[in-house]
């Protein structure tokens, strides 16, 4: 997109439009409206607040890899975000079907660490601000997992796929542990969330890379 700023300076932007599927069956499984509402809130409110904290306390090595958001829509069936294209800075879309190599796995872990560190800092230094953000970013995972029988079938298929990566005999300890976990996955998530307390963080809902 080419245009001009208020002072008639030329500007050229490369943008990405992220839109929610309008397929009715998908919407029966995933609460896309509330998910986009949460993501929009993150880009327009949470990330700017974390950046403000970072600048106020002059944190140099911190999480700052966030595209600028130019426009959002929360209209039903037309949920969308117009974002800065990070490819202009050298970032590339990772193959969703492929695994991460060691270098990128460490990069992801360190980036999450920096993001969560800002949550801990905000909670301690500006508790009122933190709790307001927390109230407006509820966890949707339970709602997604509970919605329909179709979703349960899909979740079971994903679990079986994960188990198939292990050999039942050679990896029997890991296989048994994973199998037992899958039998109580929802209860485990609920217990972890309920007991998070001071260890909870502001988390973006779409962390698919991990």
């Amino acid at each position: 997109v080419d245009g001009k700023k208020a002072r008639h300076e030329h500007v050229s932007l490369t943008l990405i439009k992220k839109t929610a599927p309008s397929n009715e069956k998908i919407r029966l499984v995933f609460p896309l409206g509330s998910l986009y509402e949460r993501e929009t809130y993150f880009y327009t409110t949470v990330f700017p607040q974390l950046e403000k904290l970072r600048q106020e306390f002059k944190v140099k090595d911190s999480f700052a890899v966030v595209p600028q958001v130019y426009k959002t829509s929360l209209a039903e069936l037309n949920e969308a975000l117009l974002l800065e294209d990070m490819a202009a800075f050298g970032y590339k879309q990772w193959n969703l079907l492929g695994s991460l190599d060691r270098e990128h796995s460490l990069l992801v872990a360190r980036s999450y660490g920096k993001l969560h560190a800002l949550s801990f800092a905000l909670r301690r230094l500006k508790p009122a601000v933190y709790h307001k953000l927390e109230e407006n970013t509820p966890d949707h995972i339970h709602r997604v997992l509970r919605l329909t029988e179709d979703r349960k079938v899909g979740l079971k298929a994903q679990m079986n796929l994960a188990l198939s990566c292990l050999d039942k005999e050679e990896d029997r300890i890991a296989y048994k542990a994973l199998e037992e976990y899958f039998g109580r996955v929802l209860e485990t998530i609920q217990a972890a969330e309920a007991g998070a307390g001071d260890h909870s963080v502001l988390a973006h809902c779409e962390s698919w890379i991990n």
Side-chain angles (χ1 to χ4, degrees):
V1 177
D2 291 310
K4 292 183 179 181
K5 295 183 179 180
R7 296 182 179 180
H8 303 290
E9 299 174 9
H10 179 265
V11 61
S12 181
L13 298 175
T14 304
L15 305 174
I16 292 289
K17 182 183 180 184
K18 179 180 179 180
T19 58
S22 58
N23 184 284
E24 184 178 347
K25 291 184 178 180
I26 294 177
R27 286 178 170 268
L28 286 174
V29 177
F30 295 100
L32 293 175
S34 57
L35 288 174
Y36 266 74
E37 183 178 348
R38 176 197 174 104
E39 185 166 7
T40 296
Y41 185 76
F42 247 85
Y43 279 114
T44 59
T45 306
V46 176
F47 284 137
Q49 188 64 58
L50 293 178
E51 176 60 17
K52 181 180 178 181
L53 181 78
R54 188 181 75 85
Q55 292 184 12
E56 181 180 347
F57 289 91
K58 298 180 174 58
V59 182
K60 294 182 179 180
D61 185 18
S62 180
F63 183 85
V65 189
V66 180
Q68 184 173 343
V69 59
Y70 291 96
K71 193 74 175 178
T72 65
S73 171
L74 293 177
E76 188 174 1
L77 299 179
N78 286 295
E79 299 91 350
L81 293 98
L82 193 61
L83 302 165
E84 178 180 27
D85 184 3
M86 298 298 280
F89 301 96
Y91 291 92
K92 296 181 180 179
Q93 177 74 38
W94 196 266
N95 180 4
L96 291 175
L97 299 179
S99 57
L100 292 175
D101 56 30
R102 183 177 183 276
E103 181 180 355
H104 284 89
S105 296
L106 289 173
L107 178 62
V108 169
R110 288 167 180 158
S111 296
Y112 273 125
K114 293 175 182 179
L115 174 61
H116 296 337
L118 287 174
S119 279
F120 290 134
L122 186 64
R123 179 200 290 273
R124 173 173 291 187
L125 299 170
K126 299 178 183 291
V129 174
Y130 176 87
H131 289 302
K132 182 178 180 180
L133 297 178
E134 186 180 45
E135 289 173 2
N136 287 296
T137 52
D139 188 359
H140 293 285
I141 186 67
H142 303 152
R143 181 179 173 188
V144 171
L145 292 178
R146 289 173 177 169
L147 276 178
T148 64
E149 288 302 318
D150 287 342
R151 178 55 185 160
K152 292 178 182 178
V153 171
L155 184 62
K156 185 173 179 59
Q158 291 176 317
M159 293 177 179
N160 289 335
L161 180 61
L163 281 173
S164 70
C165 296
L166 300 173
D167 186 282
K168 196 169 185 177
E169 293 302 323
E170 292 184 9
D171 307 308
R172 57 182 176 276
I173 296 177
Y175 189 97
K176 183 179 180 181
L178 194 60
E179 191 173 39
E180 290 178 353
Y181 169 70
F182 284 158
R184 50 183 168 77
V185 61
L186 184 56
E187 292 79 3
T188 300
I189 293 173
Q190 290 174 325
E193 183 188 42
D198 291 341
H199 300 290
S200 64
V201 295
L202 299 169
H204 190 291
C205 63
E206 194 177 356
S207 303
W208 57 263
I209 193 65
N210 60 338

